[in-house]
């Protein structure tokens, strides 16, 4: 499970609902079927209008990504594998890597090595892999955009719900008690719209974008490593080049992965 998502959602609900209780507002007022229908069903309707079914079918998978920790290969593992196959290629030749594909931890790295083994030129391999990254970015952008748009629609629908509720409240002007309840119920729609938009949908969209950036960075590392591998660059130079993608802490972790105990000079 993604701890940050669970912690964020928990704190979000606590901030709103406990805050309401502290302010003396009754939580029972939140149970307003009309407001819930306007916000939730209205947001769903807007999203269905805005996006084709081919994209909306991916929503369960996108939600799984949010709540489950993405299974991404670490930068350190990518560098470790790149250096290893570069050493093997230098000793036994590039074609020998075909028998070592199962040893690699990342599917995109396997794909790049396979392209080289199949006899593609280095620049052709780079172009193919780069286009693959562009396609992945496009798919990720569309997925995040669904939640971004939902976060845009929900607060506006909240205002619409408040207007509808206030129209109903005008019919109770003669009854002060009912008038107060009607006005409170009217603003429940605004609360739900703002809450779902800015505590749920927008943060989910931003998390999907962050995960996408991480995956794209990892794949870019692989493309650079494959390019250097195909060009015959030494394993040491490939390692030094790819180390530029690592932060200070990540370099220290990589050093421990290699079994290096001496202090290494690192740069943030």
């Amino acid at each position: 499970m993604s701890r940050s998502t669970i912690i964020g959602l928990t704190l979000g609900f606590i901030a709103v609902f406990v805050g309401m209780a502290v302010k003396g507002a009754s939580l029972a007022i939140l149970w307003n079927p009309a407001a819930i229908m306007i916000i939730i069903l209205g947001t769903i309707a807007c999203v269905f209008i805005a996006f084709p079914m081919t994209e909306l079918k991916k929503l369960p998978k996108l939600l799984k990504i949010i709540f489950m920790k993405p299974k991404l290969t670490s930068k350190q593992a990518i560098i470790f594998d790149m250096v290893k196959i570069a050493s093997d290629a230098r000793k036994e030749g590039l074609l020998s890597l075909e028998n070592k594909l199962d040893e690699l931890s990342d599917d995109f790295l396997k794909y790049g090595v396979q392209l080289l083994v199949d006899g593609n030129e280095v620049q052709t391999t780079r172009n193919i892999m780069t286009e693959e990254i562009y396609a992945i970015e496009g798919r990720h952008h569309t997925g995040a955009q669904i939640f971004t748009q939902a976060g845009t629609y929900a607060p506006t629908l909240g205002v619409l719900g408040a207007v509808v509720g206030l129209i109903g409240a005008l019919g109770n002007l003669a009854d002060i008690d009912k008038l107060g309840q009607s006005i409170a119920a009217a603003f429940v729609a605004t609360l739900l719209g703002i809450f779902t938009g800015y505590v749920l949908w927008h943060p989910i969209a931003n998390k999907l974008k962050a995960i996408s950036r991480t995956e794209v960075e990892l794949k870019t590392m692989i493309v650079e490593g494959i390019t250097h591998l195909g060009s015959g660059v030494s394993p040491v130079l490939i390692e030094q080049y790819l180390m530029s993608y690592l932060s200070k802490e990540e370099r220290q972790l990589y050093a421990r992965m290699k079994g290096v105990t001496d202090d290494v000079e690192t740069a943030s």
Side-chain angles (χ1 to χ4, degrees), residues 86-103:
S87 299
D88 292 340
R90 173 154 289 200
K91 296 175 184 177
E92 305 171 22
L94 195 60
L95 294 179
S96 67
L97 298 182
E98 187 168 18
N99 299 322
K100 303 178 185 296
L101 291 177
D102 292 338
E103 300 175 9

Side-chain angles (χ1 to χ4, degrees), residues 28-227:
I29 195 68
L30 293 176
W31 176 246
N32 188 307
I36 294 173
M37 183 170 64
I38 290 173
I39 302 306
I40 303 301
L41 189 59
T43 301
I44 293 173
C46 291
V47 169
F48 267 80
I49 294 171
F51 296 90
M53 282 300 300
T54 53
E55 298 297 335
L56 295 176
K57 288 179 180 179
K58 300 175 184 177
L59 278 174
K61 183 178 180 180
L62 293 174
L63 290 173
K64 182 179 178 181
I65 291 173
I66 291 298
F67 286 98
M68 303 300 293
K69 188 176 181 180
K71 296 180 180 179
L72 299 176
T73 308
S74 68
K75 296 178 183 178
Q76 296 88 341
I78 289 173
I79 298 176
F80 189 85
D81 284 349
M82 281 299 318
V83 173
K84 184 177 183 303
I85 61 175
S87 299
D88 292 340
R90 173 154 289 200
K91 296 175 184 177
E92 305 171 22
L94 195 60
L95 294 179
S96 67
L97 298 182
E98 187 168 18
N99 299 322
K100 303 178 185 296
L101 291 177
D102 292 338
E103 300 175 9
L104 302 179
S105 58
D106 188 272
D107 290 337
F108 195 63
L109 178 55
K110 293 179 184 179
Y111 177 61
V113 173
Q114 187 66 63
L115 288 172
L116 289 178
V117 170
D118 288 343
N120 293 289
E121 295 182 357
V122 175
Q123 190 57 47
T124 300
T125 298
R126 182 184 181 89
N127 290 342
I128 293 173
M129 297 183 74
T130 300
E131 288 299 323
E132 185 74 22
I133 293 176
Y134 289 156
I136 291 171
E137 281 187 296
R139 292 193 294 271
H140 289 179
H141 174 76
T142 301
Q145 191 68 11
I146 292 175
F147 290 98
T148 298
Q149 291 300 308
T152 301
Y153 302 141
T156 305
L157 288 167
V159 176
L160 174 62
V163 171
V164 172
L166 289 175
I167 291 174
L170 293 176
N172 296 312
L173 291 178
D175 190 330
I176 299 301
D177 291 335
K178 287 186 178 180
L179 177 62
Q181 293 175 0
S182 298
I183 293 176
F187 285 103
V188 168
T190 303
L191 171 63
L192 291 176
I194 294 174
F195 178 80
T196 57
Y198 292 104
V199 180
L200 297 180
W201 311 137
H202 276 304
I204 286 176
N206 289 334
K207 184 147 197 174
L208 287 173
K209 292 174 185 177
I211 294 172
S212 175
R213 286 193 297 270
T214 300
E215 184 174 349
V216 168
E217 183 181 21
L218 292 172
K219 284 178 166 48
T220 301
M221 280 183 64
I222 292 173
V223 171
E224 296 300 328
I226 290 294
T227 301

